Amino acid sequence: MKVGIVGAGMVGSAAGYALVLRGGASRVVLVDRNAALAVAQAEDIAHAVPFAHACDVRAGGYDDLAGAGVVILACGVAQKPGESRLSLLSRNAAIFAEVVAQVRTAAPEALLLIASNPVDIMTEIATRASGLPAGRVIGSGTILDTARYRSLLGRHLGIAPQSVHAYVLGEHGDSEVLAWSAARAGSEPIASFAAQVGAAITDEVRARIDAGVRRAAYKIIEGKGATWYGIGAGLARIVQAIAADQRAVLSVSIITAEVAGVRDVALSLPRIVGAAGVEATLFPALSPEETALLRASAEQLKHAAAGLV
């Protein structure tokens, strides 16, 4: 599959690099308003191809996106230290409207994969601007938060994170919801598994893991200015699910008709992702407290997007 990436900064280039390492694309085209940056990133990634999977990696303009099956939008301004993702809204919304129009002209059949923050609202803006069905405009959403959650749970339990089945729901941001009641390790509820291996999930453990997931981005931004490796790998994982029609269950963001009583809001839930994009949405069994938190997250996103779409 040919994959376009608009925005050749750290997130876009990390996604391109991860696609090469995973073998998730046959061709990658990097587009950036700074043409020299796009050329430099494409050349650098291309030099990794002999060590990974065959892939044609090039820089280009919007016209070079023709024929792409997926276009990743990783453009926009970066999050500043101490800045919430939602405060990026006014700075990124105007950029997106212009970019989406050019991508749709060049690659009308492509699915759009949104990486720019605040990703849920950018996903809603891109969906409205593109005119595509909701399932064909996918935000990376909480795919990275979910990976962080599984990593920390796996570390606490002493098992591989791939054996942890747990999701972060709602906003990719401060109001996100760690779905503890639906979490599993292997086939066991997380509390049962933890008891059997002598690693109880106490209130202190929950608070530590919650903070580790919720504050991860801010910690990384304070240390090096931005996050890119984790989300780059997450974007490559989504592309691979689409390219191979895997029908994988991933926590991604699309406009959803109704979530916890809030209508037409973009946020993350477990979704079945395949060649057509998001093919179905799953609603985990949540506790009353988690349902209330998910409703609050949806309401916050709905309110923030109200004046922009």
Side-chain angles (χ1 to χ4, degrees), residues 6-7 33 73-79 91-92 95-96 99 116-117:
V6 179
R33 61 182 178 180
L73 301 187
C75 48
V77 292
Q79 188 174 2
R91 299 202 294 143
N92 269 337
I95 296 172
F96 246 57
V99 169
S116 304
N117 277 320

Side-chain angles (χ1 to χ4, degrees), residues 82-123:
E83 181 181 33
S84 74
R85 295 179 181 95
L86 290 179
S87 68
L88 284 172
L89 265 177
S90 59
R91 299 202 294 143
N92 269 337
I95 296 172
F96 246 57
E98 178 183 345
V99 169
V100 168
Q102 295 190 71
V103 170
R104 289 284 290 141
T105 298
E109 302 302 318
L111 277 75
L112 302 183
L113 178 51
I114 314 303
S116 304
N117 277 320
V119 69
D120 301 294
I121 296 172
M122 292 299 104
T123 298

Side-chain angles (χ1 to χ4, degrees), residues 20-297:
V20 166
L21 294 185
R22 293 185 66 98
S26 59
R27 186 175 183 188
V28 173
V29 178
L30 291 164
V31 178
D32 197 281
R33 61 182 178 180
N34 181 345
L37 174 63
V39 169
Q41 298 284 34
E43 285 291 301
D44 199 10
I45 295 168
H47 297 160
V49 168
F51 305 111
H53 298 269
C55 184
D56 180 14
V57 184
R58 303 186 183 190
Y62 284 100
D63 289 347
D64 296 298
L65 298 175
V70 175
V71 175
I72 298 171
L73 301 187
C75 48
V77 292
Q79 188 174 2
K80 298 177 180 178
E83 181 181 33
S84 74
R85 295 179 181 95
L86 290 179
S87 68
L88 284 172
L89 265 177
S90 59
R91 299 202 294 143
N92 269 337
I95 296 172
F96 246 57
E98 178 183 345
V99 169
V100 168
Q102 295 190 71
V103 170
R104 289 284 290 141
T105 298
E109 302 302 318
L111 277 75
L112 302 183
L113 178 51
I114 314 303
S116 304
N117 277 320
V119 69
D120 301 294
I121 296 172
M122 292 299 104
T123 298
E124 183 163 349
I125 289 170
T127 304
R128 307 294 188 198
S130 69
L132 288 167
R136 294 184 64 82
V137 183
I138 305 171
S140 57
T142 61
I143 194 166
L144 179 53
D145 309 273
T146 290
R148 291 166 175 159
Y149 186 21
R150 293 177 179 184
S151 177
L152 292 173
L153 271 173
R155 187 180 302 172
H156 174 73
L157 297 171
I159 61 174
Q162 290 86 347
S163 294
V164 177
H165 309 288
Y167 294 94
V168 177
L169 313 176
E171 178 200 0
H172 172 54
D174 297 337
S175 71
E176 63 191 19
V177 181
L178 279 65
W180 286 96
S181 60
R184 298 287 186 274
S187 62
E188 285 293 298
I190 203 74
S192 172
F193 186 98
Q196 292 183 57
V197 299
I201 305 290
T202 64
D203 289 344
E204 186 278 330
V205 169
R206 286 193 181 215
R208 173 167 49 81
I209 290 176
D210 185 279
V213 173
R214 200 176 300 277
R215 300 299 302 173
Y218 296 113
K219 181 179 181 180
I220 293 169
I221 290 167
E222 288 168 5
K224 68 174 192 175
T227 67
W228 54 80
Y229 294 126
I231 189 56
L235 291 164
R237 177 68 187 93
I238 298 167
V239 170
Q240 196 164 38
I242 295 167
D245 194 19
Q246 291 178 342
R247 295 180 60 82
V249 178
L250 304 172
S251 57
V252 294
S253 181
I254 65 169
I255 293 180
T256 309
E258 190 271 328
V259 179
V262 181
R263 298 194 60 79
D264 298 322
V265 60
L267 47 63
S268 286
L269 290 166
R271 322 268 188 184
I272 298 173
V273 181
V278 169
E279 300 179 16
T281 293
L282 308 175
F283 290 86
L286 302 177
S287 69
E289 179 184 6
E290 289 166 343
T291 300
L293 289 171
L294 182 59
R295 181 184 303 112
S297 184

